[in-house]
Amino acid sequence: LPLRVSVLLRDGRQRSTAVHAKVLAPDCCELYDCFSHESCAAVPAFDPATTVVAFPSEGATTFADLDGLAAVDHLVLLCSPWQQAHKLAALPQVRGLRHVRLAQTGCTSGFWRVPPHDGSSAGTHLASIEALTRLLHEFTLARRGVEGGGEKSGGGGG
């Protein structure tokens, strides 16, 4: 994988598609169970200079617009029911990390399990492994732009 990936699970391993990342790239991916305060304590402290978290907050940016992209080598993926994702984002180990989001929204999922709460958006909620795949692809494209001379400086917004 182009980045090391840490998956924080608040959903059951049997339900999470992000577990497949560990199966496919065991040397690049770590899984952490975050079902309780005690289990969340096992999540390591991440370096904010080199680590970003995939979370579509108001201040989130895309990889293409991320300042200091060349230094990024680690992605944290929050895997939980959408209504609980904010609890993972509030963990002390994650709180200070920059947020990244997908540049391409409105993607169609190929996953069979459709969220029951919103029939109008059926098929547009990506499974965790789908979101991870797209994020890694967008990172790779953005990194190529940086290597081609388009590096953003380490300062400023983003």
Side-chain angles (χ1 to χ4, degrees), residues 46-81:
F46 299 109
D47 181 355
T50 61
T51 308
V52 295
V53 61
F55 190 70
S57 65
E58 189 173 311
T61 186
T62 64
F63 278 118
D65 293 329
L66 186 66
D67 285 341
L69 179 67
V72 174
D73 67 1
H74 198 160
L75 173 69
V76 175
L77 184 69
L78 308 179
C79 188
S80 71

Side-chain angles (χ1 to χ4, degrees), residues 24-45:
L24 294 170
D27 295 335
C28 299
C29 185
E30 294 298 326
L31 302 177
Y32 298 97
D33 290 321
C34 291
F35 300 108
S36 68
H37 180 70
E38 294 79 25
S39 63
C40 284
V43 176

Side-chain angles (χ1 to χ4, degrees), residues 8-11 34 40 53-57 76-91 94-95 99 128:
L8 308 188
L9 295 163
R10 194 170 175 93
D11 204 359
C34 291
C40 284
V53 61
F55 190 70
S57 65
V76 175
L77 184 69
L78 308 179
C79 188
S80 71
W82 181 244
Q83 303 87 338
Q84 296 181 26
H86 67 282
K87 292 178 183 178
L88 290 176
L91 289 173
V94 177
R95 194 177 311 134
H99 294 183
S128 297

Side-chain angles (χ1 to χ4, degrees), residues 132-148:
L132 176 60
T133 300
R134 291 172 193 239
L135 282 162
L136 293 175
H137 178 71
E138 289 182 9
F139 171 80
T140 301
L141 294 176
R143 177 63 66 91
R144 284 184 192 151
V146 167
E147 291 171 355

